[in-house]
């Protein structure tokens, strides 16, 4: 029986993972940057310009969003540490997307390098 780790390793072997040092350039060249984490993770901080599409909803959201219908758009994905992003990249490839990359190390690696993060300000009810 395969474990989650096995599935992630398999996904990483057949998808393109970009090194953190190349991530900013890849994001600039991408048509869309997708955060596949959950809504609470996104709300706590995310990469500027990222669109939230949780991995569990990915196939449904991609099918329902006309802006993401073209299979030749440039896509960069990320999650917390890169596992969910690799699985999402594999899914997108199975759906026919041709140019999908994920960020090695994910959001945690991005933060560890001190790269900029958007942290929405929460309203104060004082």
């Amino acid at each position: 029986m395969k474990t989650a780790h096995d599935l992630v390793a398999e996904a990483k072997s057949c998808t393109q993972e970009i090194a953190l040092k190349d991530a900013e350039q890849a994001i600039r060249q991408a048509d869309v940057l997708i955060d596949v984490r959950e809504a609470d993770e996104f709300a706590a901080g995310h990469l500027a310009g990222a669109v939230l599409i949780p991995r569990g909803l990915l196939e449904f959201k991609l099918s329902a969003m006309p802006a993401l219908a073209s299979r030749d758009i440039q896509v960069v994905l990320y999650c917390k540490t890169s596992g969910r992003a690799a699985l999402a990249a594999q899914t997108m490839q199975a759906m026919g997307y041709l140019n999908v990359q994920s960020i090695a190390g994910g959001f945690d690696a991005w933060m560890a390098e001190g790269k900029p993060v958007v942290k929405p300000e929460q309203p104060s009810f004082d």
Side-chain angles (χ1 to χ4, degrees), residues 23-122:
E24 289 177 289
Q25 177 69 22
I27 291 167
R28 281 192 296 275
Q29 293 174 341
D31 295 305
V32 63
L33 172 63
I34 301 175
D35 184 329
V36 297
R37 299 175 302 155
E38 297 299 317
D40 60 329
E41 294 173 290
F42 185 84
H46 56 273
L47 278 59
V51 174
L52 174 64
I53 305 179
R55 180 175 164 259
L57 300 174
L58 185 68
E59 297 89 332
F60 303 103
K61 293 286 189 178
L62 290 172
S63 297
M65 298 175 80
L68 301 178
S70 174
R71 297 308 198 244
D72 63 352
I73 60 172
Q74 297 281 339
V75 179
V76 173
L77 303 167
Y78 74 93
C79 65
K80 180 175 172 53
T81 60
S82 74
R84 287 176 284 179
L87 293 168
Q90 184 180 42
T91 296
M92 289 186 72
Q93 287 176 338
M95 293 177 74
Y97 287 88
L98 303 171
N99 304 300
V100 181
Q101 301 173 306
S102 65
I103 300 174
F107 186 77
D108 284 358
W110 184 274
M111 289 279 294
E113 286 292 314
K115 294 186 179 287
V117 173
V118 175
K119 291 186 180 180
E121 193 170 313
Q122 300 297 321

